């Protein structure tokens, strides 16, 4: 038996005890890297993965290894970063067996999840299993799984967990998925999911009605407190104080606390130092816009949920053109679903193209080939890359300073947005602090000229494209 066969056999034996999600999160990129004498070494793609297997599955793994190779008596773990990019060679037992029959199309497109209206509700539709994991979200997803697997008695890892990233990148999905997973494992768990805004409204109301005690009791008897969009707490001192006290109590009693925000804790300016520092005590993980392949996988998952069957070219076209937020993807799918129902015609690249044009009138449509070639970065990624490369703050790239040290990298950013993202001058101007499209046009033209005449500029652009992973 070679190492791979042994590992597959171990996984086969464990299939009864671990869920498909656990497998996908913790096992699918793990390999046996060495079998020698009585010892086996398991290599994991990340430090976190290693720690998790070591603390949670050591016994189970060793026992199953022994069942296959009786001489084995010791199990070691190490980290091999290259495994993160390795293909999954999963035993069939973990393949998705549920092939859901397409549901009837809904009569109306889903109402968009509106944070204000539904901020208390834990939606069953958001699970950690139907969250499609890509490189951009792998760590955040693993952290959420780790948190949900933590039993009530154990010392909490990653406490608090802080998930941050831009709009529509899956933060709420992850938080709610974590809540659902905790409840699935322990139906008695008391979990409060709320948004920062609602948390504040509740405090204000309890002060007005003079029953702050009830408020405090409610929040201090939870097993896990999950607060979404905490950037909303900026500048709300009274609410911060209440949260600070709640945090301390929960933390002391070893309860899990999870936050999400559009920025990392350190960038939350209007939040008191003591609260901000606590927010960063545990693990902070970011989510970013997934690349083309992952977007395609998300689209397929969402179409399945909607019972919508789309031609391949339409799927690819949508995945190529959703570039800023996955809400755009939902929005388009809902529109497609409604149109299919009304017209009873299958959607085409052309009809979907029209929807995109309506949604983002200034953006040029992206080709599937361009997206596959890795062109589908976001303006944010371009700004970050340029800010790193030239060592200038991102705010200056978006700002209006006329200093040459800022103007030059700023104009390069515009050129890259134009070339790589196929953005129009209007769209670039809008994203760069509301500039006129003629300003952008001149800047882009200037850098295009320089690129031909000046080798330093050409080299910068080449290096930046490389940084951005553009092939
Ligand atoms: P955020 O809270 O970051 O603004 P949401 O969690 O509301 O974003 O995500 C927007 C939509 O995109 C939701 O419908 C969510 O289910 C979907 N979504 C985002 N990321 C993923 C993913 N990786 N897999 C599946 N669906 C996703
Ligand atoms: Mg959200």
């Amino acid at each position: 038996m070679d190492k791979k066969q042994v590992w597959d056999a171990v996984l086969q034996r464990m299939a009864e005890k671990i869920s498909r999600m656990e497998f996908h999160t913790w096992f699918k990129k793990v390999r046996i890297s060495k079998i020698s004498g009585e010892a086996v070494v398991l290599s994991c793609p990340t430090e976190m993965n290693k720690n998790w297997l070591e603390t949670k599955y050591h016994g189970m793994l060793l026992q199953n290894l022994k069942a296959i190779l009786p001489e084995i008596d010791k199990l070691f773990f190490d980290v091999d970063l290259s495994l993160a990019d390795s293909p999954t060679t999963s035993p069939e037992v973990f393949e998705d067996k549920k092939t859901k029959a397409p549901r009837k199309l809904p009569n109306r497109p889903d109402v968009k999840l509106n944070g204000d209206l539904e901020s208390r509700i834990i939606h069953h539709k958001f699970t950690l299993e139907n969250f499609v994991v890509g490189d951009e979200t792998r760590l955040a997803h693993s952290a959420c799984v780790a948190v949900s697997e933590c039993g009530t008695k154990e010392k909490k890892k990653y406490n608090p967990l802080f998930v941050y990233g831009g709009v529509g990148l899956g933060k709420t999905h992850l938080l709610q998925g974590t809540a659902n997973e905790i409840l699935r494992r322990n139906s008695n768990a008391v979990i409060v999911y709320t948004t920062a805004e609602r948390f504040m409204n509740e405090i204000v109301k309890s002060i007005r009605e003079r029953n702050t005690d009830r408020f405090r009791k409610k929040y201090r008897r939870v097993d896990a407190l999950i607060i979404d969009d905490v950037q909303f707490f900026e500048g709300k001192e009274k609410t911060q104080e209440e949260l600070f006290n709640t945090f301390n109590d929960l933390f002391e009693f070893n309860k899990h606390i999870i936050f999400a925000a559009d920025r990392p804790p350190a960038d939350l300016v209007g939040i008191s130092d003591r609260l901000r520092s606590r927010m960063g005590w545990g693990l902070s993980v970011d989510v970013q816009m997934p690349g083309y392949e992952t977007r395609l996988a998300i689209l397929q998952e969402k179409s399945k949920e909607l019972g919508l069957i789309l031609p391949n070219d339409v799927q690819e076209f949508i995945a190529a053109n959703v570039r800023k937020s996955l809400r755009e993807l939902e929005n388009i799918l809902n529109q497609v679903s409604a149109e299919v129902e009304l017209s009873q015609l299958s959607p085409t690249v052309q009809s979907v193209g029209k929807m995109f044009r309506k949604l983002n009138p200034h953006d040029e449509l992206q080709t599937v080939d361009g997206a596959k070639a890795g062109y589908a970065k976001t303006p944010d990624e371009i700004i970050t890359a340029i800010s790193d490369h030239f060592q200038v703050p991102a705010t200056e790239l978006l700002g209006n300073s006329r200093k040459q040290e800022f103007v030059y990298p700023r104009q390069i950013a515009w050129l890259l947005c134009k070339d790589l993202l196929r953005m129009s001058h209007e769209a670039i101007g809008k994203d760069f602090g509301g500039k006129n499209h003629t300003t952008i046009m001149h800047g882009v033209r200037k850098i295009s000229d320089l690129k031909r005449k000046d080798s330093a500029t050409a080299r910068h652009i080449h290096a930046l494209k490389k940084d951005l992973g553009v092939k």
Side-chain angles (χ1 to χ4, degrees), residues 16 60 100 230 258 401 406 463:
E16 300 264 291
M60 196 197 286
K100 290 177 203 150
V230 297
I258 312 176
S401 160
F406 301 137

Side-chain angles (χ1 to χ4, degrees), residues 203-219:
I203 292 173
V204 171
K205 187 161 173 268
S206 75
I207 294 173
R208 198 174 54 227
E209 293 172 359
R210 294 174 207 283
N211 54 14
T212 44
D213 274 358
R214 209 162 79 202
F215 172 87
R216 291 192 182 125
K217 266 195 203 125
K218 166 179 166 190
Y219 279 94

